[in-house]
Amino acid sequence: MTNYNDEMIVTVAEFAEMFGTEKCKEYFAKYKKLGGHKDSTITTAKQKWHIVEVVKIDKKNRYRLAGKREEEIERKQLQNYSNCGQDQMPYKEILQNLILIYLENPNRKPSATYRVLARDLEVMSDILFFASEKVTSDEQKAYYKNLDDKYKKNGYEMFWDAVNKETQRIRKHIESVLKDMKEKGIIRHMDVVNAVSLDKYEREIHNPINVSEVGKIDKMLKSLREKHEVTATDIRYKPKSTSVLSYKEDEYNYLQSFGYEYVYDAVYIDLIATDREIQNYMKDSLVTDFKKEHLAFAYQKALARENSFFNDIIRVKDNHKFHKLFGGKKKSEVLKGTLTAYDSILIDELLSDGIKQEKFGKTYATNYKESLKAIQDVLDVEENVNN
């Protein structure tokens, strides 16, 4: 058992000296604060102590260290994000309640993509939803051009950086919550394939199709891709190429033989638990709560990426295959991996990469948060999001 009587209170200067890198110590000597080195230095301290926290003593910040570890642990154990617990998803209960409300709606869709589900739950704004559909540079430029100025305040690259990262984050978190609810017997959750047909008013009807029909369609579409020598990546990112256009024409004609306009992967969810089995802690303004929590969480992740730019050693890529082909020294024998992204950046690279410019200027996390705040239309965010 850890002995938490083993405790120390140290000043920020002492904390920097004990756990800071040389760059951190140089930064502290110059500015009398940890700045972007703070998170990394705390991680180093946690390798040796179970509890590392900031405390106020005589109106000054101090660091409390408690429970000295018998053995120092590796950093990656502290940075393991495989658990999707409360620390990794602070709005898990909010998402679960929103899903339960959604499943009680008799007019909901029986199946949908995770992205559409996110929009129906209202945790993804219309801007984020429609922007996330744009995958090619031409599509993104055209979409961005027509946006209101409030979405452009932090620039083109920051807008798309937030869109791409947060679309994936929300999707993965919804999937994680659904799987958790399935394991607890609250819902049924399964992968399906939806086929889209048109009613007499030309409105789209989305319904799952049976497994045997899915297998038949998959086999034929694979054959058509081979015939036109296209891949799924070509279809997604080169929609105007001659081979993709030819494939799409054959695909459409084939699906029309079933009466379908198109097919797509989706998920089916349904409520199976009784009222007594559901521990439903309802909250007011769940969507607003979610967006605030999501923004704060995304900001912390952006801050970690910004700090990593200055503090983390770049991982050396293995060039073993090229070494075998062309000879010479392996990269790992030439460069041992001693530089951070900040240390190794080239001026041409910096001038051409807006995201690296933001990180270099230590404005990335703040502007990422402001861009996402506009995209998700988050109002009256608490000031402590920045703290």
Side-chain angles (χ1 to χ4, degrees):
M1 181 179 289
T2 304
N3 178 14
Y4 287 104
N5 291 325
D6 193 1
E7 181 181 285
M8 293 175 63
I9 303 290
V10 299
T11 65
V12 179
E14 290 169 334
F15 187 77
E17 185 61 31
M18 292 169 68
F19 305 110
T21 62
E22 288 305 312
K23 283 189 174 293
C24 172
K25 293 173 186 176
E26 290 171 10
Y27 184 91
F28 185 83
K30 186 175 181 179
Y31 299 105
K32 304 303 178 190
K33 60 183 180 180
L34 296 178
H37 300 276
K38 180 179 177 181
D39 289 354
S40 178
T41 308
I42 288 174
T43 299
T44 301
K46 284 182 177 179
Q47 290 181 262
K48 299 179 175 71
W49 296 81
H50 284 274
I51 294 176
V52 180
E53 61 182 359
V54 178
V55 294
K56 284 277 188 185
I57 298 177
D58 296 330
K59 298 183 180 180
K60 291 183 179 180
N61 284 344
R62 297 285 188 271
Y63 280 88
R64 174 177 174 257
L65 312 172
K68 192 168 186 179
R69 299 182 189 276
E70 292 182 4
E71 292 184 5
E72 183 173 324
I73 65 172
E74 295 181 2
R75 295 180 79 84
K76 62 184 179 182
Q77 288 181 258
L78 294 168
Q79 297 166 338
N80 181 10
Y81 297 116
S82 60
N83 304 339
C84 203
Q86 191 65 15
D87 289 341
Q88 289 305 311
M89 199 195 308
Y91 38 80
K92 183 176 181 180
E93 186 179 323
I94 298 173
L95 262 183
Q96 181 172 312
N97 285 332
L98 284 168
I99 290 167
L100 290 172
I101 293 170
Y102 172 80
L103 291 173
E104 293 286 359
N105 181 358
N107 298 318
R108 66 178 174 82
K109 302 178 181 72
S111 55
T113 65
Y114 287 114
R115 202 169 58 85
V116 169
L117 179 58
R119 187 192 181 196
D120 289 345
L121 293 173
E122 297 183 53
V123 300
M124 187 179 284
S125 67
D126 285 349
I127 291 293
L128 185 54
F129 177 81
F130 289 114
S132 64
E133 291 180 331
K134 315 305 177 188
V135 294
T136 69
S137 59
D138 287 344
E139 288 174 337
Q140 291 181 350
K141 287 175 184 175
Y143 182 80
Y144 186 82
K145 182 180 179 180
N146 294 317
L147 285 173
D148 290 342
D149 287 343
K150 69 177 182 177
Y151 301 112
K152 301 178 180 179
K153 285 174 62 178
N154 301 105
Y156 179 89
E157 288 177 301
M158 189 60 69
F159 175 87
W160 288 109
D161 194 42
V163 166
N164 295 333
K165 285 185 170 64
E166 299 315 319
T167 299
Q168 289 302 313
R169 193 192 315 282
I170 291 173
R171 182 206 176 281
K172 287 177 181 177
H173 283 177
I174 288 175
E175 182 179 8
S176 176
V177 169
L178 289 176
K179 286 181 177 178
D180 182 62
M181 293 173 76
K182 177 182 178 180
E183 288 174 4
K184 291 176 180 175
I186 304 296
I187 65 169
R188 190 173 304 286
H189 170 230
M190 66 184 77
D191 294 331
V192 296
V193 174
N194 275 358
V196 180
S197 55
L198 301 178
D199 66 13
K200 63 180 181 180
Y201 301 107
E202 299 292 304
R203 294 175 301 198
E204 289 189 351
I205 302 171
H206 299 243
N207 281 315
I209 55 179
N210 64 55
V211 175
S212 61
E213 194 170 26
V214 170
K216 185 177 180 181
I217 290 173
D218 282 348
K219 187 175 180 180
M220 185 60 184
L221 295 186
K222 178 183 176 183
S223 176
L224 288 176
R225 290 197 302 275
E226 290 173 346
K227 171 188 170 183
H228 292 283
E229 297 183 341
V230 298
T231 66
T233 302
D234 294 331
I235 294 166
R236 184 170 173 81
Y237 292 101
K238 301 177 183 177
K240 295 181 182 179
S241 71
T242 303
S243 56
V244 170
L245 290 172
S246 298
Y247 163 79
K248 293 299 289 184
E249 184 177 356
D250 280 358
E251 178 195 56
Y252 180 74
N253 290 333
Y254 173 68
L255 292 175
Q256 281 285 287
S257 68
F258 291 89
Y260 302 148
E261 297 295 305
Y262 58 95
V263 296
Y264 62 92
D265 293 335
V267 289
Y268 168 87
I269 57 173
D270 203 4
L271 191 61
I272 58 174
T274 64
D275 288 343
R276 290 188 64 185
E277 292 171 315
I278 299 172
Q279 292 184 344
N280 188 357
Y281 304 104
M282 302 304 293
K283 292 184 177 182
D284 293 331
S285 306
L286 287 175
V287 171
T288 301
D289 290 344
F290 171 86
K291 288 187 176 181
K292 288 182 179 181
E293 294 281 2
H294 170 250
L295 181 66
F297 185 64
Y299 171 70
Q300 292 303 322
K301 292 293 185 183
L303 190 60
R305 292 194 292 275
E306 182 179 293
N307 290 336
S308 175
F309 180 79
F310 291 95
N311 301 322
D312 292 348
I313 301 301
I314 297 173
R315 197 178 293 171
V316 177
K317 292 182 181 178
D318 182 17
N319 68 335
H320 184 63
K321 292 180 181 177
F322 293 107
H323 168 68
K324 277 188 173 181
L325 286 172
F326 304 115
K329 291 185 178 180
K330 290 184 186 179
K331 184 182 286 187
S332 58
E333 293 170 358
V334 178
L335 178 63
K336 297 296 183 182
T338 58
L339 301 177
T340 65
Y342 171 80
D343 294 325
S344 59
I345 197 165
L346 301 173
I347 188 64
D348 289 345
E349 184 183 5
L350 184 62
L351 292 173
S352 63
D353 192 324
I355 296 301
K356 287 182 179 175
Q357 290 172 25
E358 295 277 2
K359 290 178 180 178
F360 191 87
K362 295 189 177 181
T363 57
Y364 173 79
T366 299
N367 288 340
Y368 185 96
K369 182 196 73 175
E370 290 302 317
S371 186
L372 180 61
K373 180 180 173 182
I375 292 167
Q376 281 282 66
D377 193 23
V378 183
L379 302 176
D380 301 322
V381 178
E382 299 293 335
E383 285 299 320
N384 62 12
V385 167
N386 287 308
N387 296 332

